[in-house]
Amino acid sequence: MLLKTVEYCLGPQEDTPQNYYWDRKNQEQFIYLRTKTYCMTETLEVENTSWSLLKKILFRFFFIYFILYTSPWSWLEAIPGVDYLLGFYNRAFEWLTIKANANFFRVFNIKDVKQVFNGSGDTSYAWAANYLMLVLAAVGMFIWSLVDMKRKSYRQLNYLLCLFLRYTLALTAFIYGVDKILALQMPFPMLSQLATPLGDFLPMRFSWLFIGYSSPYEIFSGVMEVLVALLLFYRRTATLGALIATAVFLNVMMLNLCYDIPVKLYSINLVLMCLYLLANEFDRIACFFVLNKPAATCSVYHYPLIKKWMRITRIVLKLAVVFFMGKSLYDTMKFAREVNATKQHRDFKKGMYDVTRYVVNKDTIPALIADTLRWRDVIFENNEMGSINTKDTMFRTRYGRSYFNFEVDSLQPIINFKRSSQDTMARLSMRYQVTDSNTIWLWGKQKNDSLFVELKRSNRHFQLGEKQFHWLSEANR
């Protein structure tokens, strides 16, 4: 920071905003604070407009990298015709990623990568694409440095980049936060999961169940993320928002890294964005938290908008962010109502059922440990889902159990088992009869074999399903 003596004049009220004054000598505009005098001379503390070489080089690199990573142009896909043009960019970037990885990167010793959409953010293609963005950012930084060597600073571009990162982090934190507040991202463990041996779970699912078990903890995590979004949304609280965002997303990143959750790349980049915002205020933060010195006022998120269209654009952008937040909140609450409105079927009530008889082609199959295809127990959930304790690949096998979706015919007593809710054809159709409140008979054809299954409601009790809490514990539980 430098001390500078300036003469400023507000001018007519309708032409110049109240919170700015004009340095006529240097043709610069600075923030004007609480004065009714129109013209005066004052010694002020202003930002040094000359950046160091290292700061300019780092800015050029991160500016290109963050723009490539976030792809803000993809937000325009809703505009007719834009999605067609973006298709060329996406195909070109995909081709370049595949070629660059095959000839240079070889991420994790994988030569041939392809883009897949399966919920994982850590695919070999995602890593190769991230490598390519880093290389393009480095090349772009070098070219930019050569053609713009005499530039003293990038204060305006840096203001726009910080503004973009603030809104990106705010939207991300808000979307995930609302999901957690409504306990949707990590739901309470299903009966099928409670019936699965702990050792059969993968680390990611184990962490999901750990967080989902305690709704208050999940809600607390969501409240902190929504708080981050609200703080980042306003310039006066953006510094505090960046500090809390760093703590929140750093915790998320460590969970992803330590529990092998396949969102590692994304969470690392979110933390990188937070650190970039904090790096812009390193001196202020160090003075306040470390050096015990007076901290200067924030100038990163304040830029004089001297043109009317600039001020209008800022308002429009804020309204757009508010709209996306509101839409996200509405969609999430609508989904929550749908989830909470699910009811159990009158014949297949939620619960665990032991398979007391399992007959194939009129031969009763005993419950032998070595027989992994025989059904041992069946669990029906509320949302027309369920699982079977079997290794039969006719259903989708996860963590030692086979999961299914089911539909019950409205005209006749037939239950259709599907591999997933998206399937249109049933993998197995069986007639059924509810003989008493605890017994269900199922019979039908499985491939070329006749199958009869008797289900008896189990009295199996899961202590973890009780949601226990004790202020007082006389012993280590």
Side-chain angles (χ1 to χ4, degrees):
M1 305 298 287
L2 298 175
L3 290 179
K4 182 175 183 180
T5 302
V6 298
E7 179 185 355
Y8 60 87
C9 184
L10 283 180
Q13 183 69 25
E14 64 273 14
D15 293 334
T16 307
Q18 259 190 342
N19 59 330
Y20 297 121
Y21 63 82
W22 184 255
D23 180 357
R24 292 185 298 181
K25 180 179 179 181
N26 297 287
Q27 294 296 299
E28 293 176 343
Q29 191 174 21
F30 298 98
I31 296 172
Y32 166 71
L33 301 174
R34 294 192 186 94
T35 180
K36 295 182 180 180
T37 306
Y38 284 92
C39 294
M40 61 183 296
T41 301
E42 187 176 350
T43 301
L44 298 169
E45 197 176 75
V46 298
E47 182 182 6
N48 187 355
T49 57
S50 181
W51 287 9
S52 66
L53 177 61
L54 178 60
K55 185 175 180 179
K56 289 187 288 186
I57 289 175
L58 290 176
F59 167 79
R60 292 162 184 154
F61 174 82
F62 283 111
F63 182 88
I64 298 174
Y65 175 72
F66 285 138
I67 295 300
L68 286 173
Y69 182 80
T70 54
S71 301
W73 43 83
S74 62
W75 300 352
L76 305 176
E77 285 182 339
I79 301 176
V82 174
D83 58 337
Y84 179 77
L85 296 176
L86 289 177
F88 288 104
Y89 168 80
N90 293 331
R91 288 191 292 271
F93 187 82
E94 182 176 350
W95 176 86
L96 188 58
T97 299
I98 294 172
K99 292 297 182 181
N101 182 75
N103 294 287
F104 302 104
F105 304 146
R106 302 286 181 96
V107 294
F108 302 104
N109 295 320
I110 297 176
K111 177 182 178 181
D112 299 319
V113 298
K114 61 179 180 178
Q115 188 170 11
V116 294
F117 302 97
N118 56 12
S120 172
D122 294 334
T123 61
S124 56
Y125 176 87
W127 279 98
N130 212 93
Y131 282 18
L132 178 61
M133 293 175 202
L134 290 170
V135 170
L136 292 176
V139 172
M141 175 267 295
F142 179 75
I143 297 173
W144 191 354
S145 299
L146 289 179
V147 301
D148 201 21
M149 192 178 302
K150 296 182 179 180
R151 177 83 61 174
K152 291 185 177 180
S153 68
Y154 295 95
R155 183 167 175 245
Q156 184 176 11
L157 270 182
N158 187 54
Y159 163 78
L160 294 174
L161 179 60
C162 290
L163 179 67
F164 176 72
L165 294 181
R166 276 173 51 205
Y167 286 173
T168 300
L169 291 170
L171 280 170
T172 303
F174 186 82
I175 292 171
Y176 280 102
V178 171
D179 267 359
K180 290 185 177 70
I181 288 176
L182 298 177
L184 293 176
Q185 187 178 7
M186 292 92 165
F188 189 82
M190 299 186 301
L191 276 177
S192 300
Q193 294 168 328
L194 293 174
T196 302
L198 181 65
D200 286 341
F201 285 116
L202 292 174
M204 172 190 169
R205 189 55 51 192
F206 177 67
S207 68
W208 236 244
L209 300 178
F210 155 71
I211 298 174
Y213 168 79
S214 176
S215 297
Y217 176 77
E218 184 176 358
I219 292 171
F220 166 76
S221 302
V223 169
M224 294 305 297
E225 290 180 348
V226 171
L227 177 63
V228 163
L230 297 177
L231 291 175
L232 285 173
F233 192 66
Y234 298 99
R235 287 177 294 172
R236 293 184 179 181
T237 57
T239 302
L240 179 60
L243 287 168
I244 301 179
T246 303
V248 169
F249 287 124
L250 186 61
N251 179 62
V252 173
M253 183 188 76
M254 292 308 298
L255 280 172
N256 293 341
L257 291 173
C258 297
Y259 285 88
D260 195 29
I261 301 173
V263 205
K264 303 176 190 69
L265 264 177
Y266 185 52
S267 58
I268 290 172
N269 279 283
L270 290 176
V271 171
L272 193 60
M273 294 177 194
C274 294
L275 293 177
Y276 182 86
L277 293 179
L278 293 183
N280 274 272
E281 300 187 80
F282 176 78
D283 292 338
R284 297 181 63 242
I285 295 172
C287 286
F288 185 85
F289 287 103
V290 181
L291 303 177
N292 195 27
K293 293 181 178 180
T297 57
C298 177
S299 60
V300 178
Y301 309 120
H302 297 268
Y303 191 83
L305 306 178
I306 58 176
K307 302 291 186 181
K308 186 177 181 180
W309 68 267
M310 294 180 177
R311 298 190 291 274
I312 293 175
T313 302
R314 182 174 67 182
I315 295 173
V316 170
L317 287 176
K318 280 207 170 187
L319 290 176
V321 174
V322 171
F323 170 78
F324 284 118
M325 284 183 172
K327 186 177 184 303
S328 171
L329 179 60
Y330 173 80
D331 292 341
T332 305
M333 294 185 68
K334 180 181 177 182
F335 178 70
R337 286 194 297 268
E338 293 173 355
V339 170
N340 295 329
T342 55
K343 297 179 180 179
Q344 59 185 356
H345 193 271
R346 69 177 187 276
D347 294 330
F348 297 93
K349 294 181 174 62
K350 179 180 179 179
M352 184 175 185
Y353 295 80
D354 293 323
V355 178
T356 53
R357 281 198 293 167
Y358 189 80
V359 183
V360 179
N361 295 327
K362 298 183 179 181
D363 291 330
T364 301
I365 308 298
L368 300 176
I369 297 177
D371 190 350
T372 58
L373 296 181
R374 184 192 188 276
W375 296 9
R376 298 181 178 277
D377 60 67
V378 179
I379 291 177
F380 293 103
E381 308 283 358
N382 278 341
N383 49 356
E384 294 190 334
M385 286 181 56
S387 68
I388 304 173
N389 188 356
T390 178
K391 298 296 177 60
D392 194 336
T393 55
M394 177 176 61
F395 307 108
R396 61 183 192 277
T397 303
R398 301 188 71 190
Y399 317 116
R401 295 187 68 89
S402 294
Y403 285 77
F404 61 84
N405 287 79
F406 69 90
E407 288 182 352
V408 179
D409 196 302
S410 58
L411 300 178
Q412 50 187 335
I414 295 179
I415 180 172
N416 297 308
F417 293 91
K418 299 181 178 181
R419 188 179 178 89
S420 69
S421 58
Q422 286 76 32
D423 285 354
T424 56
M425 299 293 294
R427 293 299 181 98
L428 176 64
S429 294
M430 305 183 76
R431 299 187 70 87
Y432 72 89
Q433 179 181 351
V434 180
T435 59
D436 57 52
S437 59
N438 295 317
T439 308
I440 303 176
W441 288 354
L442 303 173
W443 67 92
K445 280 281 188 179
Q446 183 180 20
K447 297 181 180 179
N448 296 322
D449 299 322
S450 63
L451 178 64
F452 172 83
V453 181
E454 182 182 63
L455 306 179
K456 286 278 188 180
R457 180 177 284 274
S458 174
N459 58 2
R460 173 74 183 275
H461 174 68
F462 299 100
Q463 287 190 359
L464 195 62
E466 296 178 358
K467 296 186 178 181
Q468 297 184 20
F469 177 82
H470 304 84
W471 284 112
L472 177 64
S473 296
E474 298 290 1
N476 187 351
R477 300 170 60 84

